[in-house]
Amino acid sequence: MSVLVDENTRVVVQGITGGEGKFHTEQMLEYGTNVAAGAVPGRGGQEVAGVPVYDTVHQAVEAEDANASVVFVPPAFAADACFEALDAKGLDLVVAITEGVPTQDMSRVYRKLQETDTYLVGPNCPGLITPGVAKLGILPGNIFSSGNVGLVSRSGTLTYQVVDNLTDRGLGQTTAIGIGGDPIIGTGFIDALELFEADPDTHAVVMCGEIGGEDEEEAARYIGANMDTPVAGFIAGRTAPPGKRMGHAGAIVSGSGTGTAQSKITALENNGVPVGDTPEEVADHVEDLL
Amino acid sequence: MRLHEYQAKQVFADAGVPTPASRLAETVEEAVAAADEIGYPVAIKAQVHVGGRGKAGGIELVENAEEAREAAENIIGMDLKGYHVRTVLVEEAVDFVNELYVGVTMDRGEGKPVAMVSTKGGVNIEEVAEEDPDAIAREHIDPAFGMHPFQARKVVYDAGVDRNLANDVARVLQTLYQLWDDRDGSDVEVNPLMITSDDEVIAADAVMNIDDDALFRQPELAEMGEEAADGDELEQKADEYGFDYVRLSGNVGIIGNGAGLVMTTLDLVDHYGGAPANFLDVGGGAKADRIANALDMVFSDENVDSVVFNIFGGITRGDEVAQGINQALEQFDEIPKPVVVRLAGTNAAEGMEILNEDLVTVEHTLEDAVQRAVDYAGEVDK
């Protein structure tokens, strides 16, 4: 019924005493997420929204049996927070919400990630949600509904838009994952697609990409070669001029024709993935695929 | 953030990369004086963030004071691919027999840095990468260890650099990697690295792009970057307000939250037959003032004939957005351009109640909002 997040997910919130950390801990608890602990150096022994705080992630994992973490730590310390989470045995999933993490820092985190079995989602992402069960991150819970469509997206607000179009048609979701738009991220499209392919309750997948990089092209080839579950796609940035950075660090089109919206759309369509011109059309395609 | 050539060269020279004698000049007089001092021949080079400056007339090689004056007059103040040239670098002309390309960048696909050397220097390296990828030798660097000296040598030998020069070129590459690593570079390049008849290596150009997200720990470079800013007036205004903003050529102004959603809004404007005037992302959690600033920005663009607001709140709250829109529009006796608003997500209902519907057109779906804004812009054209 879901990937990565279910009723057994026990979360430690890194940076729980900060403004964002506190607010979204409350939101997550309200949604039903099992927030088991917080971790903030020097704040061990305190409580936030009834959740016990520890000085280190290691202590939190040991004391509260946490198996996932959400990072709400400022950019300068975010990589260190990720390293701490990856070093704590027992965490299967780390979700880094922080925006503006230096790329070289992420390069080192990514290097460490290869030595572990942990999934790192983000950074600069809205997180992930299994509707009706739990959300890890900042997604607005009320627009999601439970169902059989998996969703993976590089952009947060675009995720909300597409989910809104799906929910409107009665197309509920198994899990929606915002993987983030930075140049180097942990869990990528292919990791997420693999998980959805293996989930018997996910009957169709929506993949939302954007200009920049070649991850969508690689994902398209993966879908063509490995997936039985049908996929519908959307690519943002068709009108973006080459050489200009459009918000996301990764969303820049090089002049040479790679990483463009058209190259991504073509790659998807060549591998049997219908691509919507508008979010509404994506919902049309999903209806057809189910 | 990109440094100007003269700034990057200073950083390179301080780190021990050989560079030609040079001086920065802001006026024709300064340029001629600098050329006289350095000794002819010299190159006069426009300092703007544009590739292919030479072909576009932004670099001239001169033999005497008269030519220097003429070149400086041509270049200072010229418009180079949309950028106004304010300063030139006057630089000793290097007598070279060969040109190399040497650079370090982040390979985002691999998630790790890559060092590159090519004997096809002196030309547009992106074209070489496309037409003859084998002409560029590459070596991926493990970010946990940094570049080992053997890796610098390996990529230099792989590129087929002359054996007599290999150590010097490897040393330049090693220095560039160190700079890339210490200074949070995204691209650090020398093209061309000139080889003189005495087998000396000299960096005749210098590129240094810094990761914007790391500027908090590179205060010295951040300051240089402020000096180097040369976008148009609106883009500089966007910097002051702290928006992600890109000016485009159409007439439908676009404001939204989140890069992916704003790009999607641009694409829909195009889809419904309109032309986007800009990309403007107010970012997450924008408060009323920020929304008002965004409207001020888009109204300042004289090409804009209508504005569409597309907000899907997660962290951002619809009531804050509505307040900002009211705040910005209530100061006008007459609204300068029609504004279409679409609010969804967190506190959207509260926002709709607050929003002054005498000032804006409300639409409930993304598609309807975009269509309406395109219609308004089209009516102005007629």
Side-chain angles (χ1 to χ4, degrees):
Chain A
M1 61 169 293
S2 63
V3 304
L4 292 172
V5 177
D6 59 24
E7 58 281 358
N8 299 316
T9 304
R10 292 175 60 78
V11 181
V12 48
V13 178
Q14 296 177 250
I16 195 170
T17 51
E20 297 273 332
K22 182 168 179 291
F23 177 75
H24 289 289
T25 296
E26 285 162 358
Q27 297 283 306
M28 286 190 277
L29 285 167
E30 200 176 300
Y31 196 74
T33 310
N34 199 343
V35 182
V40 180
R43 299 293 179 94
Q46 297 184 2
E47 269 192 10
V48 171
V51 174
V53 181
Y54 297 85
D55 286 314
T56 69
V57 174
H58 290 77
Q59 288 169 4
V61 170
E62 182 137 318
E64 306 292 342
D65 250 347
N67 57 8
S69 117
V70 183
V71 176
F72 285 105
V73 166
F77 314 106
D80 189 46
C82 291
F83 276 117
E84 185 178 4
L86 293 174
D87 192 61
K89 302 286 175 275
L91 292 184
D92 307 319
L93 172 66
V94 180
V95 183
I97 304 300
T98 311
E99 183 178 349
V101 183
T103 308
Q104 293 195 10
D105 291 4
M106 271 319 296
S107 172
R108 294 188 180 92
V109 171
Y110 187 78
R111 158 74 166 73
K112 175 73 180 173
L113 190 63
Q114 310 309 309
E115 297 174 357
T116 73
D117 296 326
T118 308
Y119 282 90
L120 169 69
V121 175
N124 188 15
C125 77
L128 63 171
I129 184 168
T130 294
V133 178
K135 69 162 180 165
L136 276 63
I138 60 175
L139 313 102
N142 61 325
I143 59 170
F144 293 86
S145 62
S146 185
N148 57 9
V149 180
L151 186 141
V152 53
S153 169
R154 259 169 84 177
S155 156
T157 46
L158 178 57
T159 307
Y160 310 160
Q161 175 66 48
V162 172
V163 164
D164 207 41
N165 289 77
L166 292 174
T167 298
D168 240 22
R169 307 277 184 94
L171 301 167
Q173 305 92 43
T174 47
T175 301
I177 310 174
I179 57 175
D182 279 3
I184 300 179
I185 53 173
T187 299
F189 283 123
I190 293 177
D191 304 301
L193 291 168
E194 252 175 21
L195 290 165
F196 284 128
E197 173 72 5
D199 175 34
D201 295 322
T202 298
H203 297 171
V205 180
V206 174
M207 177 181 140
C208 298
E210 62 188 29
I211 53 165
E214 290 171 27
D215 293 358
E216 289 84 354
E217 287 87 337
E218 278 174 33
R221 289 189 285 273
Y222 172 84
I223 293 166
N226 301 293
M227 284 185 74
D228 292 325
T229 311
V231 182
F234 184 78
I235 300 292
R238 293 164 189 242
T239 46
K244 292 282 188 186
R245 166 176 159 153
M246 303 291 248
H248 283 162
I252 184 163
V253 192
S254 65
S256 59
T258 59
T260 62
Q262 197 49 55
S263 76
K264 290 168 195 286
I265 291 166
T266 306
L268 285 166
E269 288 178 345
N270 286 345
N271 284 282
V273 178
V275 180
D277 281 345
T278 68
E280 211 172 9
E281 267 185 43
V282 177
D284 293 340
H285 288 313
V286 174
E287 260 178 351
D288 292 344
L289 294 173
L290 282 170
Chain B
M1 188 201 76
R2 180 170 179 172
L3 297 186
H4 278 308
E5 177 195 1
Y6 74 91
Q7 297 170 319
K9 272 200 171 130
Q10 190 57 55
V11 175
F12 285 12
D14 290 347
V17 176
T19 54
S22 67
R23 271 182 55 190
L24 191 68
E26 284 180 20
T27 64
V28 174
E29 267 59 43
E30 279 176 27
V32 176
D36 285 344
E37 191 186 306
I38 290 166
Y40 297 93
V42 297
I44 311 236
K45 307 163 91 175
Q47 297 297 290
V48 283
H49 297 308
V50 172
R53 284 174 300 169
K55 277 184 198 162
I59 299 179
E60 287 191 38
L61 195 63
V62 298
E63 299 285 350
N64 53 50
E66 199 180 321
E67 285 180 18
R69 176 171 298 276
E70 203 175 308
E73 277 169 358
N74 288 341
I75 297 174
I76 296 174
M78 82 184 285
D79 185 81
L80 200 65
K81 298 185 182 175
Y83 289 85
H84 181 73
V85 179
R86 293 195 190 88
T87 55
V88 290
L89 187 66
V90 182
E91 186 174 81
E92 169 195 5
V94 178
D95 192 15
F96 63 97
V97 293
N98 227 326
E99 298 176 297
L100 304 176
Y101 165 86
V102 182
V104 179
T105 190
M106 183 66 84
D107 181 341
R108 49 179 291 171
E110 294 288 324
K112 52 173 84 156
V114 60
M116 296 173 289
V117 174
S118 176
T119 53
K120 286 199 170 177
V123 295
N124 190 344
I125 200 70
E126 283 82 7
E127 278 170 25
V128 177
E130 212 167 315
E131 286 158 18
D132 187 9
D134 291 342
I136 303 173
R138 295 175 175 81
E139 179 77 6
H140 281 99
I141 311 299
D142 186 326
F145 296 116
M147 182 190 275
H148 300 293
F150 87 84
Q151 289 182 294
R153 294 194 301 271
K154 179 167 175 280
V155 63
V156 165
Y157 283 115
D158 283 352
V161 173
D162 190 303
R163 186 169 279 131
N164 295 330
L165 300 165
N167 277 338
D168 287 342
V169 178
R171 199 172 304 122
V172 169
L173 180 58
Q174 188 96 32
T175 308
L176 293 189
Y177 181 81
Q178 212 51 55
L179 282 173
W180 184 88
D181 195 41
D182 294 343
R183 304 298 189 95
D184 280 295
S186 46
D187 300 294
V188 175
E189 295 179 335
V190 173
N191 187 29
L193 182 69
M194 285 179 172
I195 313 295
T196 68
S197 51
D198 316 332
D199 279 356
E200 276 185 75
V201 299
I202 297 177
D205 194 6
V207 170
M208 190 150 184
N209 286 320
I210 316 296
D211 179 0
D212 289 314
D213 287 334
L215 287 177
F216 68 86
R217 61 187 176 203
Q218 304 290 350
E220 195 189 317
L221 297 180
E223 212 169 288
M224 281 190 184
E226 273 168 31
E227 276 172 41
D230 61 2
D232 68 19
E233 235 167 80
L234 275 173
E235 286 177 352
Q236 287 185 16
K237 195 169 185 175
D239 276 348
E240 277 165 37
Y241 284 145
F243 291 130
D244 276 321
Y245 174 85
V246 179
R247 190 175 187 176
L248 302 165
S249 55
N251 65 345
V252 180
I254 293 161
I255 302 171
N257 64 324
L261 187 63
V262 181
M263 277 194 274
T264 301
T265 313
L266 261 66
D267 294 348
L268 286 195
V269 166
D270 180 66
H271 179 78
Y272 289 119
N278 66 277
F279 168 101
L280 198 168
D281 178 6
V282 296
K287 302 280 189 243
D289 282 349
R290 200 166 162 75
I291 298 297
N293 289 345
L295 261 172
D296 174 46
M297 279 237 36
V298 175
F299 282 156
S300 327
D301 180 351
E302 53 192 29
N303 293 331
V304 167
D305 291 326
S306 71
V307 180
V308 58
F309 242 101
N310 181 27
I311 301 288
F312 207 121
I315 291 189
T316 308
R317 290 167 33 181
D319 50 336
E320 285 279 351
V321 173
Q323 267 171 31
I325 295 172
N326 290 347
Q327 186 184 314
L329 294 182
E330 276 162 3
Q331 60 179 321
F332 293 105
D333 293 331
E334 197 185 334
I335 306 299
K337 287 131 193 191
V339 177
V340 183
V341 177
R342 183 268 183 149
L343 284 181
T346 308
N347 288 8
E350 289 86 338
M352 289 301 191
E353 271 173 33
I354 295 169
L355 200 59
N356 184 343
E357 293 198 37
D358 294 339
L359 307 177
V360 299
T361 306
V362 171
E363 291 290 353
H364 294 280
T365 69
L366 169 58
E367 286 82 2
D368 290 347
V370 168
Q371 256 172 339
R372 181 62 72 102
V374 169
D375 286 349
Y376 282 151
E379 280 167 24
V380 174
D381 275 353
K382 286 165 202 162

